[in-house]
Each structure stands twice: as C-alpha cells, then as structure tokens.
Amino acid sequence: MTALERLQAELGTHVSVDPRRLAAVRGDKSGWVAPGMPLAVVYAASVDQVQATLRIATEFRVPVITRGAGTGLAGGACGTDGAIVLSVERMNRILEIRPEDELAVVEPGVLNGDLNTALSAHGLWFAPDPASRAISSVGGNIATNAGGLLCAKYGVTREAVLALTVVLADGSLLETGHRTVKGVTGYDLTALLTGSEGTLGVIVEATVRARAITLGETVTIGATFPDVAQAAAASGLVTAARLRPAVMELIDPVALALIAAYLGPNLFEGVPARGAFLLVQTDGPASQAEADQAVAVLRAAGGEVRVSTDAESADRLLAVRRAAHPALAAHGEVLIEDVCVPRSRLAEMFARIAEISARTGLPIPTVAHAGDGNLHPNFLIPFDPARGGAEPVVPEAVWLAADELFRAALELGGTLTGEHGVGVLKRRWLAEELGDTGFALQRRIKAAFDPLGILNPGIMFAA
C-alpha cells in the first residue's frame, strides 16, 4: 500500500488529489510557487486526523507542508513536489473564551478577525494585527510570529501566546505553556514553537492572551515631509519624546506617488501628494494629549500636519496607508520584502534603499512601521502579457538588489525579517545573520523535533 492509499483509507474524503486543489496550494501571497505538484491535500478537521496524517508521513518518509489560510509572504507553506499538504483551515472553532482570565482557546484555522469579533462581545481583543487579519489564521500568525501596525505598542504574536498543543512529526501530542499569567517551569517551548514556521510541529490548538479593549478616543495624524530622511528623523523624535502611538507608519516618496495616482485627487484630499508621509495614531484615555504632543514634535521637525476631526477624516488619512499594496499591485507583481533595523537607524536604511534603487535603476517603493523600525521595500515586476497565466518570474536583478538590502539591514544592526518569516525566500541569508554557532544549534533543534526531516523541508533551512 502506498502513502496515498493509506491516507485515503484512513481519512477518506478529507484527502483530495483534485489537480485544481493541488495547484492552488503550491503558492502563497508572496508570489512564489513551488515547483512540481504535491501528492495530496489533507483537509484535517480534528487533532486525530492531523496525528494520523503525520504517522503515515513518518512511516512512508513523505514530506508534510502545513498550511493555514495561505496568506504568507515568504513561501513558507507552499506544497512542494510529492509532499502531503496538511491544511488546517477546517479546524476553525473558537473552543473557549474566559473573560475573567482574559484568554481564549482556539483551533489553528480560526481567522484573526473572527476571533476579534467574538472577543469584542466581552470587551476584549486579540492584539496581533497583521494587515491580513481579515483573511489570515491565528495558527499562521503563531507559526510566523506575525506583527502588524500595532505591535510597537501592543507586541507581536509571541507576546499573546500562552500555551500550545502541537502534533510532532511522529504523530505524538505535545502540550506546552500554561493558562496562568505567570509560569516559568522548564524551557519555554511555547516561545520556541512560535515563529518556527511549521518546521518543528503542527499547531492544533492555541491558548492566547486577550486584552481589554482600549478605552478613549483614537486620534489620527497625517504629516508630510520634503523627503523620507526628514520623515524618519521626525518619527525618531516622537519616540524620543517618550510618546507611544498605537500606529506610526512611514511611506517614502516613491510609494506615496503611486498611492496618490491610485486613490485619485478626491480620495487623497487633505494630504499633499508629495514628499514622504508619516501616519501617527494615538489611543487610550490620554490620546488627545499625546496627539497634541506628537503634532508639536512633527511640526517642529518640518512636517505639514493634518489631524483628524472625526471618523471620516481619520479614515481618509488611514486610507493612504491601506492603499499601499493595491496601489503597487496595479503596476505589476509585487515582491514584498521585510527587514527591520533599530529605530535610530531607520533614516540610514531608507538612504541605503534609495542608493540601491538609483544604482540599479529598480524602483523600490517602501513603507515602514516606523514605530518599531520594520521596513517593507517592494519590488515591482511588470506584467508580461506573453506569460499568460504562468507564474511570475523574479528577475535576477531583483534578487541581487534584495541581497544588498538584506546585507544593509544586517550591517545596521538589524534583521532579515521583522514579521513575515524566513520561509523559502530568505533561507539563503539565514546563516549570515545567525552566525555559524547559532545556525548549527538551530539545525540540531530542528533535528531533535523532526529527526527524519519531513516537516516543511526546505523552509528556513535548505533540505
């Protein structure tokens, strides 16, 4: 009996070999598409089915690619040739909400936005807020340690995860963490598994921390500056003033021009479509006082400032940032990169990006979570009608420029990825950041959890 026959015998209709479904799980939102064709997709609906899948995979030495909503941006959950794609999207139940303990217990396929809708009835919210929160799953957020616009103030996903239930490569069940506010027993395996990108085990349940919904009004500020260096310096002055905005986003002039063209003159009303744009949002009981201080800092730094007066004007300012990706996508396939530098080096990183762009002739429109130093340089790959429906091909010139970006971030004391993960797309640079000792140790950790190397092979580390 083959691995596929065993899967079909034990899991029946939860196994699909439909060519359209196999093709659909070969890619993610990064634009990367895995070569070849997966063996099958298993749509697991229970922990038992996940365990059965991994026991069969171990017996037959078949790779397993765990997949949630498929919204990743690093090629980390794409079905490779001959692999079993283990989809957990049907494991989408909110198992428990305990308002008195400020926690929720969920299956991995629960969407971030759906969890927040359920929590809001109890005056609570789940703080991790990737831009894809309406369509990304909590399991995927945990697997990549996702960030978002609010994480400078409210933390990344790791800080919201209390406990995990994980199926290991051999099908055994591992429970980590605790439901208590404090707990330091043994190694922190919960933190280790968070951000492990499916390479150590399959998350089948998560206990996550919920926060009380922030009281008070939200004040939104938009400021334009003559250039991105001045805007980056201004964001640093906001931080230096010991202000902690909920949101602080920076858009460089290249990206801002594309957004202005996309939104049109009416939707862009009130925001000068020139220079660099800094979006600041304060929340909480002291939001107005904090906003007043931020406005004073931004004006003193040379910014042309506009403050929201109501929900409608706030939405117009926020629309500028929300439109970044669709505005870029209107001009071609978008390769979204993700580097992070110390906040004090943000202006230098923008300068390095501009220098690389000028020298290579490649436009690199860039947006940044200025509150935490996380930049998203974007490469635009023009649409090629001759390619038809074929997958986009990233030109070698783009990878060479990306290589320079990554090395620049490391030279400035930063990291290759602030929130998207390593996946396939950044694994070639991983050893350079970790160093020989750190890289070797992480390979040994991987081997301890997955001795046969069947879990997401080729993700983070070359297979």
Side-chain angles (χ1 to χ4, degrees):
M1 183 176 285
T2 66
L4 179 58
E5 290 168 338
R6 276 285 300 281
L7 287 170
Q8 291 170 326
E10 292 198 27
L11 300 172
T13 58
H14 290 275
V15 180
S16 175
V17 292
D18 182 330
R20 291 169 298 179
R21 293 192 174 188
L22 296 179
V25 298
R26 292 172 55 220
D28 63 6
K29 295 295 185 182
S30 70
W32 189 79
V33 178
M37 195 64 69
L39 174 68
V41 184
V42 175
Y43 294 97
S46 68
V47 175
D48 287 346
Q49 290 172 356
V50 173
Q51 290 182 285
T53 300
L54 288 172
R55 290 190 189 107
I56 293 167
T58 292
E59 179 182 345
F60 288 90
R61 308 297 197 264
V62 178
V64 177
I65 308 297
T66 306
R67 187 177 176 92
T71 60
L73 290 166
C78 301
T80 52
D81 193 43
I84 298 167
V85 176
L86 175 55
S87 170
V88 294
E89 65 178 296
R90 293 181 183 174
M91 298 179 68
N92 58 5
R93 295 178 301 161
I94 298 173
L95 301 173
E96 183 180 2
I97 293 177
R98 294 193 64 86
E100 65 274 27
D101 289 324
E102 295 187 334
L103 63 79
V105 183
V106 300
E107 292 184 323
V110 171
L111 297 184
N112 181 305
D114 290 346
L115 174 58
N116 267 312
T117 298
L119 287 171
S120 67
H122 304 277
L124 299 169
W125 66 300
F126 181 56
D129 71 320
S132 60
R133 60 187 176 277
I135 57 172
S136 65
S137 65
V138 174
N141 296 165
I142 295 170
T144 57
N145 193 22
L149 273 65
L150 298 173
C151 65
K153 182 170 184 176
Y154 293 106
V156 295
T157 301
R158 178 175 284 118
E159 294 161 79
V161 182
L162 294 172
L164 293 172
T165 302
V166 176
V167 178
L168 299 178
D170 63 359
S172 58
L173 204 62
L174 170 68
E175 295 182 349
T176 75
H178 44 76
R179 295 166 66 104
T180 55
V181 175
K182 296 161 65 178
V184 295
T185 307
Y187 295 120
D188 191 350
L189 296 181
T190 305
L192 175 62
L193 287 158
T194 302
S196 62
E197 303 187 40
T199 62
L200 304 181
V202 179
I203 297 166
V204 291
E205 183 179 296
T207 302
V208 298
R209 177 180 287 112
R211 288 177 174 268
I213 290 175
T214 305
L215 300 178
E217 66 176 323
T218 298
V219 183
T220 305
I221 304 163
T224 52
F225 293 85
D227 56 54
V228 73
Q230 200 169 340
S235 73
L237 291 172
V238 171
T239 301
R242 301 298 172 255
L243 301 174
R244 288 294 177 270
V247 172
M248 188 154 61
E249 296 289 296
L250 180 52
I251 303 173
D252 81 347
V254 182
L256 189 64
L258 293 172
I259 293 168
Y262 178 78
L263 290 179
N266 294 330
L267 286 176
F268 216 71
E269 177 188 359
V271 180
R274 62 181 184 275
F277 179 69
L278 186 64
L279 176 75
V280 178
Q281 194 171 71
T282 59
D283 65 355
S287 60
Q288 188 61 62
E290 192 172 34
D292 291 342
Q293 294 178 66
V295 166
V297 169
L298 297 175
R299 284 182 173 146
E304 185 175 341
V305 180
R306 179 181 173 85
V307 183
S308 64
T309 55
D310 52 31
E312 184 180 349
S313 61
D315 281 344
R316 282 199 299 269
L317 292 171
L318 284 167
V320 178
R321 175 60 180 88
R322 291 190 188 117
H325 183 72
L328 271 56
H331 293 269
E333 304 285 351
V334 183
L335 178 63
I336 306 174
E337 286 304 343
D338 165 46
V339 296
C340 196
V341 297
R343 289 173 290 186
S344 61
R345 313 297 295 273
L346 189 62
E348 293 176 76
M349 188 64 206
F350 269 109
R352 297 288 286 272
I353 292 169
E355 187 276 326
I356 293 168
S357 176
R359 179 164 38 79
T360 61
L362 295 169
I364 310 177
T366 301
V367 298
H369 307 311
D372 55 30
N374 190 183
L375 301 96
H376 295 304
N378 295 272
F379 292 95
L380 300 180
I381 304 167
F383 296 117
D384 181 3
R387 201 174 65 226
E391 294 91 15
V393 176
V394 178
E396 186 60 23
V398 169
W399 285 124
L400 292 173
D403 177 83
E404 291 192 54
L405 286 175
F406 301 150
R407 295 184 191 282
L410 295 178
E411 288 170 12
L412 293 174
T415 179
L416 293 168
T417 174
E419 57 189 8
H420 292 171
V422 175
V424 169
L425 298 183
K426 290 191 175 178
R427 69 186 180 197
R428 71 177 88 171
W429 295 278
L430 183 62
E432 186 170 342
E433 177 172 340
L434 296 180
D436 292 343
T437 302
F439 186 77
L441 178 59
Q442 293 207 15
R443 293 297 301 257
R444 292 200 297 274
I445 291 171
K446 161 71 171 169
F449 275 82
D450 178 23
L452 297 178
I454 64 170
L455 296 179
N456 272 21
I459 305 304
M460 296 177 66
F461 310 103

